[in-house]
Amino acid sequence: MTEAQKQLICETLMFHAERPGGDILSIVRIGVDRANAEGLMRKASGASPEFQLGEIHVLFAALVSAPVLMPSEEVFYERIGFFREQAFALAGGLVSAIEATSDWTGEYSGSD
């Protein structure tokens, strides 16, 4: 991941971690509580982060839901520092990367 991609992921995760509504709404929006969102944010900002499949789903959810929760492109850009289309493109890139990995060895860490 590039530094800009890591920053975009971190900003969207931070946005979700700081949203009102507590852990229940965080779980509905991105599939994890706020503490886990903050942990993924720290992980994503690392030198060469590696993610489990369930974590990639959280990243995807954060990237696609953050633009939906903000009323305009301007508000999104001011809060996140990127354009909505960049968030959607990175989310699509995550899916494409998984699709292209025919020998995926990551473990699924979600619930059944």
Side-chain angles (χ1 to χ4, degrees):
M1 273 195 278
T2 68
E3 289 302 315
Q5 290 170 329
K6 290 195 262 183
Q7 184 65 32
L8 176 52
I9 287 170
C10 288
E11 291 296 329
T12 58
L13 286 169
M14 183 177 298
F15 168 76
H16 285 289
E18 294 175 345
R19 297 278 301 164
D23 287 334
I24 291 174
L25 291 181
S26 179
I27 292 167
V28 169
R29 287 189 300 267
I30 62 173
V32 295
D33 61 24
R34 292 164 14 159
N36 282 313
E38 290 172 0
L40 275 174
M41 184 180 63
R42 287 189 300 277
K43 186 175 188 176
S45 66
S48 23
E50 293 184 20
F51 299 99
Q52 298 297 316
L53 190 56
E55 293 172 329
I56 292 170
H57 172 66
V58 173
L59 301 181
F60 177 85
L63 288 163
V64 298
S65 63
V68 172
L69 295 170
M70 292 186 220
S72 70
E73 179 73 48
E74 182 180 357
V75 170
F76 185 83
Y77 186 81
E78 287 174 0
R79 170 57 184 85
I80 303 297
F82 293 88
F83 295 106
R84 289 175 170 182
E85 65 191 34
Q86 292 168 304
F88 292 134
L90 182 51
L94 291 173
V95 173
S96 295
I98 296 301
E99 288 175 340
T101 306
S102 60
D103 60 346
W104 171 256
T105 59
E107 294 294 320
Y108 174 67
S109 62
S111 59
D112 293 330

